[in-house]
Amino acid sequence: ELLYCSQDEQPLPISNTLELPVAVGGDDQCWEFKQHHVYRTHPYFIDYHYQQSAGQPDVTLVAQLSYDRLQMLEALAEHWEGPMSLALFLTDSEAQLFIHFALHSPVISRRKNIGFHIVYKLQYNTGLYPVNYLRNVALKNVNTAYVFLSDIDFLPSYGINEYLQSLLANDQASQKNAFVVPAFETLRYRLDFPADRANLLDMLDNGLLYTFRYHVWRKGHAATDYQRWRTATDPYKVEWAADYEPYIVVRRDVPQYDTQFVGFGWNKVSHIMRLDATGYQFKVLPDHFIIHMPHSPSLDIIKFRSSPNYRNCLQQIKEEYQRSLVKEFGTDAFKYLIT
């Protein structure tokens, strides 16, 4: 009998049961980027129950993680009480350790509205981290009208779930709105989390917090217009800009992530670019925010920083993707070629 599956339940259709690497020529310097796998996937690995309130739009937080980020899960669950859909990239043995963690955690064990979807690592574990494949697994297993596309290492402001429910009750289905949640970061492993925007701004002005990636990649979030956000009372529209990669709340029928972007780099930028191409409007939310918590760097970001070949390959894939947008959307997409 499968763990956590009752005799009365019909088995979930699992099409991703094979581990199929695509052979790549040995002379290809970008072979790591060009491997395409179908991973064994076990959706709803642990018991999941969630029923949306009638007439009340709800939001599922969508994210992905590997075993080395598991320690961040409890803090996230304490900040976000709404439903979550999380894709975990694990080995078979790590999946068993995860069960022990989830059942014995005083925070996680009491939650039934978190969908844990295990994507099993290949036995030979080649290639780069399939970040967008994992995001798509989490996105496909959502049963609310809206999703909050976030990352596991961000903590949302207190009360944001209730705020979003109120806001989205007036959202028009005919509009393609992508609500931007402003992102900040701390370099401290211990942080007195700000109670509200005023508290956050005080910490920002005193150097305890920074706008996200302020020191290394300002372009990624500059379009959010943090100066305007300081006093905003209503959501305000911002225009897409090159390399923009905000964290957003959208309807769950949002386009999926492009799985050719693996490892570190351009995996979110490409998604936001596609949303802009398909007519989404980016509107920054006032009052609420997310804060990135520090952690050790991933293997893929180390490769990005240390390997010129890695960066060259990523640039090739980026340029191919930009040209594909022009082919799909015509002259309106020429602006993406200049980034």
Side-chain angles (χ1 to χ4, degrees):
E1 182 180 349
L2 290 175
L3 193 61
Y4 305 113
C5 293
S6 73
Q7 299 285 355
D8 299 328
E9 290 178 330
Q10 294 297 317
L12 288 166
I14 300 179
S15 58
N16 303 334
T17 56
L18 302 178
E19 301 181 355
L20 300 174
V22 174
V24 180
D27 294 333
D28 191 336
Q29 296 296 310
C30 299
W31 67 272
E32 279 191 296
F33 289 85
K34 297 179 180 179
Q35 296 185 87
H36 301 289
H37 302 284
V38 179
Y39 296 91
R40 285 188 299 127
T41 302
H42 188 157
Y44 299 104
F45 188 65
I46 291 179
D47 198 22
Y48 174 82
H49 294 290
Y50 170 75
Q51 187 170 355
Q52 185 168 316
S53 302
Q56 181 75 44
D58 209 348
V59 185
T60 297
L61 188 147
V62 171
Q64 50 72 37
L65 67 152
S66 53
Y67 191 77
D68 62 339
R69 296 288 185 259
L70 199 59
Q71 79 280 2
M72 313 193 91
L73 185 53
E74 289 184 323
L76 175 59
E78 290 178 327
H79 278 252
W80 179 271
E81 295 185 352
M84 289 192 270
S85 180
L86 305 177
L88 294 83
F89 194 50
L90 305 176
T91 64
D92 288 73
S93 59
E94 286 172 343
Q96 297 307 307
L97 293 173
F98 167 70
I99 292 175
H100 184 273
F101 164 79
L103 296 183
H104 291 84
S105 163
V107 177
I108 304 303
S109 62
R110 66 179 178 83
R111 295 283 295 272
K112 300 301 181 184
N113 63 346
I114 304 178
F116 294 107
H117 319 297
I118 307 300
V119 178
Y120 288 97
K121 294 181 180 179
L122 305 180
Q123 291 183 352
Y124 39 87
N125 196 31
T126 60
L128 299 169
Y129 187 75
V131 55
N132 279 354
Y133 186 104
L134 297 169
R135 286 176 172 144
N136 286 343
V137 169
L139 185 56
K140 290 174 185 176
N141 288 284
V142 166
N143 58 3
T144 57
Y146 292 86
V147 291
F148 178 11
L149 303 180
S150 188
D151 275 332
I152 200 69
D153 46 8
F154 279 89
L155 296 181
S157 52
Y158 295 115
I160 188 173
N161 188 252
E162 294 79 4
Y163 167 80
L164 289 172
Q165 289 178 326
S166 176
L167 172 79
L168 297 173
N170 298 314
D171 185 42
Q172 299 297 317
S174 59
Q175 295 181 343
K176 287 185 172 181
N177 288 322
F179 295 102
V180 175
V181 183
F184 298 84
E185 69 178 349
T186 178
L187 305 181
R188 300 166 180 249
Y189 282 85
R190 292 180 177 272
L191 175 73
D192 291 329
F193 199 89
D196 51 29
R197 178 171 60 175
N199 190 191
L200 179 140
L201 290 175
D202 183 61
M203 297 173 73
L204 188 69
D205 293 339
N206 284 284
L208 299 177
L209 293 173
Y210 304 92
T211 56
F212 186 51
R213 292 291 182 255
Y214 172 82
H215 299 93
V216 295
W217 187 243
R218 296 190 191 185
K219 292 171 66 176
H221 294 265
T224 296
D225 193 351
Y226 288 98
Q227 190 61 36
R228 183 176 179 182
W229 181 80
R230 296 176 73 100
T231 56
T233 56
D234 297 301
Y236 58 90
K237 184 179 178 182
V238 295
E239 298 298 327
W240 173 88
D243 298 313
Y244 195 33
E245 52 177 356
Y247 293 91
I248 57 174
V249 176
V250 289
R251 289 182 174 272
R252 69 176 178 184
D253 60 357
V254 64
Q256 292 188 1
Y257 292 87
D258 193 304
T259 57
Q260 70 179 317
F261 291 99
V262 292
F264 177 82
W266 248 67
N267 47 73
K268 290 199 309 295
V269 173
S270 59
H271 189 239
I272 293 299
M273 189 175 284
R274 173 162 289 277
L275 266 59
D276 180 67
T278 52
Y280 279 79
Q281 299 182 68
F282 300 101
K283 297 179 180 179
V284 182
L285 299 179
D287 296 323
H288 285 279
F289 49 86
I290 52 176
I291 298 179
H292 180 264
M293 304 304 292
H295 54 74
S296 59
S298 67
L299 178 61
D300 289 331
I301 195 171
I302 292 173
K303 288 181 180 179
F304 174 84
R305 291 170 176 171
S306 62
S307 171
N309 183 66
Y310 187 110
R311 296 191 293 274
N312 289 337
C313 292
L314 181 60
Q315 182 67 24
Q316 289 180 32
I317 295 173
K318 167 186 172 181
E319 292 173 358
E320 291 171 4
Y321 181 77
Q322 290 167 314
R323 288 192 292 269
S324 74
L325 290 179
V326 173
K327 193 178 209 179
E328 183 177 353
F329 295 102
T331 56
D332 288 344
F334 280 160
K335 63 181 179 179
Y336 306 129
L337 293 175
I338 63 174
T339 65

